[in-house]
Amino acid sequence: MSLSITVPPGYGWIVLGAGIFPVITDMYLGGKVMAARKKFDVKYPNLYATPKFHEKADEFNRVQRGHQNFIENIGGYRIMTFLGGLKHPITCAVGSVLYCVGSILYMKGYADNSLDVKDARYKKGAAVKWIGFFASFVSAIKFAYDLIQA
């Protein structure tokens, strides 16, 4: 069986949304971690601050976790977006903006020490991240279904 895939009009938005915007988001989040490293005196090679060793370990670790969450999840998200974008490029491109903005808001909430750590991540609007996630998730499933039916 041979199958050809045509890149649809608007796929350039996917390249920006899933290729470029996550890099910018990662740099922004990484910059926040670098600033927290300096502020809380957490030296390399420590990925996290050690409680009882670093005076402000929890404060630093909350910033670090906000970035780490993005790193842990962006790979799968990008794959879904690049594939789902072949079927629904504009939906996935808009979803990518929501996903990246939501990831920034996730860190902002998580890093806010005035909020309880259990739900701090979503107190600043990070739920929009999941709208972006499911836009690509459903689009990738639809694309896979169409390939199976071809």
Side-chain angles (χ1 to χ4, degrees), residues 6 8 12 46 54 79 81 104 106-107 113 121-122 125 132 145:
T6 303
N46 296 319
H54 293 98
I79 291 168
T81 303
I104 291 168
Y106 181 97
M107 176 192 258
N113 293 301
R121 298 164 283 199
Y122 294 102
Y145 177 79

Side-chain angles (χ1 to χ4, degrees), residues 118-149:
K118 292 178 189 168
D119 58 358
R121 298 164 283 199
Y122 294 102
K123 289 288 188 179
K124 305 255 178 170
V128 299
K129 171 181 175 175
W130 294 106
I131 297 169
F133 175 88
F134 283 110
S136 290
F137 182 73
V138 171
S139 294
I141 290 170
K142 178 70 171 104
F143 180 64
Y145 177 79
D146 289 352
L147 286 176
I148 292 166
Q149 294 300 311

Side-chain angles (χ1 to χ4, degrees), residues 58 86-87 100 115 136:
D58 286 344
L86 289 167
K87 185 73 180 169
C100 290
L115 300 172
S136 290

Side-chain angles (χ1 to χ4, degrees), residues 11-81:
Y11 197 78
W13 292 111
I14 295 299
V15 174
L16 288 174
I20 305 302
F21 198 35
V23 171
I24 294 167
T25 303
D26 187 42
M27 290 169 63
Y28 174 81
L29 296 174
K32 292 294 186 182
V33 173
M34 294 299 294
R37 266 188 195 287
K38 186 174 182 177
K39 179 179 179 181
F40 300 121
D41 195 34
V42 178
K43 306 277 191 249
Y44 284 111
N46 296 319
L47 183 60
Y48 290 99
T50 305
K52 297 182 184 165
F53 180 78
H54 293 98
E55 184 179 333
K56 302 278 187 175
D58 286 344
E59 287 89 339
F60 173 78
N61 289 343
R62 287 175 71 156
V63 174
Q64 174 66 355
R65 273 301 309 145
H67 183 220
Q68 191 67 32
N69 179 270
F70 180 78
I71 293 168
E72 291 166 356
N73 294 293
I74 194 63
Y77 178 77
R78 283 173 136 176
I79 291 168
M80 289 188 310
T81 303

